[in-house]
Amino acid sequence: MDPFRAVSCALLLSAAASPATAMPLVDCLAPAATCTLRQWADQAGIEIGAAVEPAWIAEEPQYAATLAAEFGSLTPENRMKWPEIHPSPDAYDFGPADALVDFAQTNDMAVRGHTLVWGQMAGNGTPDYVRDAQSAQELRTLVAEHIGTVAGRYAGKVDSWDVVNEPLVVLGNELDPNPFFELLGPDYIAEAFALAKAADPDARLFLNEAFVELAGPRFDAFHDLVRELLAQGVPIDGVGLQGHLLFPIFLDPQELRTNLERIVDLGLEVEITELDIAVSFLPEAERDAYQRQAYFDVFTACLEVEGCNRITLWGFTDAHTWLDDFLGNPAVDPLLFDEDYRRKPAYYGVRDALRRSIVPEPGRLWLALAAAAFAARRLRWRPRGSRTEQLAV
Ligand code: G3I
């Protein structure tokens, strides 16, 4: 057995000792293995997730079965957003979000919380009674009550929160002049993170942003914002790059990888949080191949950056995607399964990226073996006592 297989089998066996995983643990590289993406991702050491709606889980058995088999985590696409979960000052509607959390727990899936504060007018993330707040004090009271209640309720059930979503203006590089910004100034972001930390000290707290996958002034502005928050001691654990790749020009794998690395270099985790890859603007004959390669490239970029720990797709079947409404084009088809839950070529692009990250290319394998042999020789020939001295330093 080659050393990489040996290492991956050892990891699988040690994981098997953990009672937390109900999915069968399979060595996906074994000749007869048939793994789902969730199992491939487990073995590759990252998590793959999807944004979901409870209605489809309840109404479509294939939706629920595919979700549980293929994904290790879920994000409520809409049901934890302020207008949905807290539609009026004194009323919460936890039912749909609770149903998703229950589904996740039943199927040993993680939950990303999305989202506590989302001020953009275009985004429909804040109800009118919050937008209409007249003073900083009134708004602060609403925000504190909302974050305390929602993040507090799901403490221990949600592993990470998009605390603030889309702080930048959609078409530009500055902070969005939303009602939170207008009344509280730029510190509304830091205040939201402090409240989330107090409500759920164990959740990983994320800042999530759209259209920051390419290099350029927008990503630089976002990076500066994150750096400033860290310098102020804001309890931010990670950054989400959403990954809505609506047109082919939105994807440059090398730039994406560099952006992921620049976030990790700040000492943070990074995730791709809302990936979908639209193909309606390509000639029909090119769509499948383009999408398969694009999914492969995005997953590979993340897999090659230590600290990129999860990729969440914004849906998983073309039967249910926000892009049908947004682009008004039924051929957008941005996801991994078609409308009948058949695996598309894009699915295999993801599978190939995960598999490639587990099976090293021959050149990398020989290099790794040579490095291991060299290290073993150095250890064997080191003069007596020197190893102990080194450890003591
Ligand atoms: O809640 C009502 C429901 O009561 C009513 O029956 C239904 C009738 O159409 O409308 C429902 O609200 C819609 C909601 O989706 C749930 O279906 C809203 O009108 C609609 O605007 C909303 O769109 C969502 C959008 O965010 C705004 O919240 C999309 O589904 C969702 O995919 C999209 O997700 C965002 C992320 O949160 C942030 N990043 C960008 C991403 C895409 O815009």
Side-chain angles (χ1 to χ4, degrees):
M1 182 185 279
D2 80 49
F4 285 90
R5 291 285 310 283
V7 169
S8 69
C9 285
L11 290 173
L12 279 168
L13 287 174
S14 65
S18 146
T21 314
M23 288 291 285
L25 285 158
V26 183
D27 175 4
C28 296
L29 299 176
T34 52
C35 281
T36 64
L37 294 183
R38 178 179 182 168
Q39 290 168 315
W40 280 108
D42 273 351
Q43 202 169 338
I46 68 164
E47 206 155 70
I48 181 167
V52 296
E53 280 288 343
W56 310 126
I57 291 179
E59 290 164 17
E60 292 182 34
Q62 246 183 316
Y63 183 99
T66 307
L67 176 62
E70 300 279 359
F71 297 92
S73 89
L74 65 80
T75 303
E77 182 168 346
N78 289 303
R79 304 302 158 182
M80 286 184 174
K81 288 174 183 169
W82 197 326
E84 302 274 344
I85 205 165
H86 190 181
S88 57
D90 302 320
Y92 284 89
D93 180 8
F94 293 120
D98 284 358
L100 291 178
V101 170
D102 288 348
F103 181 88
Q105 291 189 330
T106 303
N107 293 287
D108 279 305
M109 302 169 78
V111 180
R112 291 194 90 252
H114 176 81
T115 170
L116 294 169
V117 171
W118 181 18
Q120 271 182 10
M121 186 58 106
N124 200 14
T126 307
D128 286 345
Y129 72 86
V130 180
R131 291 189 180 281
D132 294 343
Q134 295 299 306
S135 68
Q137 193 189 351
E138 182 189 349
L139 184 56
R140 274 204 177 94
T141 305
L142 288 167
V143 173
E145 206 273 328
H146 176 75
I147 293 182
T149 304
V150 176
R153 179 180 183 87
Y154 295 109
K157 297 177 175 173
V158 158
D159 75 11
S160 40
W161 269 108
D162 289 332
V163 176
V164 174
N165 189 42
E166 298 171 10
L168 297 184
V169 70
V170 181
L171 297 175
N173 310 325
E174 62 280 344
L175 285 177
D176 185 57
N178 62 47
F180 302 100
F181 179 85
E182 292 295 342
L183 282 183
L184 308 178
D187 283 348
Y188 86 89
I189 300 173
E191 291 182 30
F193 273 84
L195 290 163
K197 187 76 183 168
D200 184 357
D202 294 329
R204 314 287 294 161
L205 304 183
F206 277 69
L207 188 68
N208 197 41
E209 187 53 272
F211 307 126
V212 279
E213 293 74 27
L214 294 173
R218 182 171 170 85
F219 179 80
D220 291 343
F222 183 55
H223 187 266
D224 286 348
L225 170 63
V226 175
R227 212 176 38 194
E228 280 163 26
L229 293 171
L230 283 169
Q232 288 166 30
V234 173
I236 173 170
D237 298 299
V239 160
L241 310 189
Q242 292 185 359
H244 291 295
L245 305 177
L246 306 188
F247 308 98
I249 51 162
F250 280 20
L251 175 59
D252 178 315
Q254 188 49 50
E255 291 186 6
L256 173 61
R257 186 189 158 138
T258 303
N259 288 1
L260 295 170
E261 283 169 346
R262 287 182 64 190
I263 298 295
V264 171
D265 288 346
L266 294 173
L268 296 174
E269 285 180 56
V270 68
E271 294 186 11
I272 294 168
T273 50
E274 304 186 14
L275 179 63
D276 46 20
I277 303 178
V279 287
S280 45
F281 296 93
L282 290 168
E284 206 165 335
E286 294 173 20
R287 290 177 187 169
D288 281 350
Y290 169 80
Q291 201 175 43
R292 178 175 184 153
Q293 183 66 43
Y295 270 105
F296 176 88
D297 288 343
V298 172
F299 270 74
T300 297
C302 175
L303 284 158
E304 289 186 348
V305 174
E306 203 172 326
C308 186
N309 297 328
R310 175 157 53 191
I311 299 182
T312 300
L313 287 97
W314 212 238
F316 58 94
T317 161
D318 291 339
H320 304 298
T321 161
W322 73 288
L323 284 171
D324 280 350
D325 290 336
F326 185 70
L327 295 178
N329 182 343
V332 173
D333 294 345
L335 295 164
L336 303 187
F337 294 83
D338 71 13
E339 300 197 355
D340 297 316
Y341 296 93
R342 285 183 300 243
R343 294 169 175 177
K344 292 167 54 184
Y347 176 99
Y348 296 102
V350 172
R351 193 273 321 266
D352 291 350
L354 293 167
R355 182 167 59 190
R356 175 184 173 277
S357 79
I358 300 166
V359 187
E361 286 157 14
R364 282 164 47 202
L365 174 66
W366 286 116
L367 264 180
L369 284 176
F374 181 71
R377 282 188 58 157
R378 278 183 60 94
L379 273 179
R380 197 172 318 134
W381 288 106
R382 182 162 293 152
R384 219 174 245 273
S386 66
R387 186 153 191 266
T388 327
E389 281 156 29
Q390 232 187 13
L391 289 175
V393 171

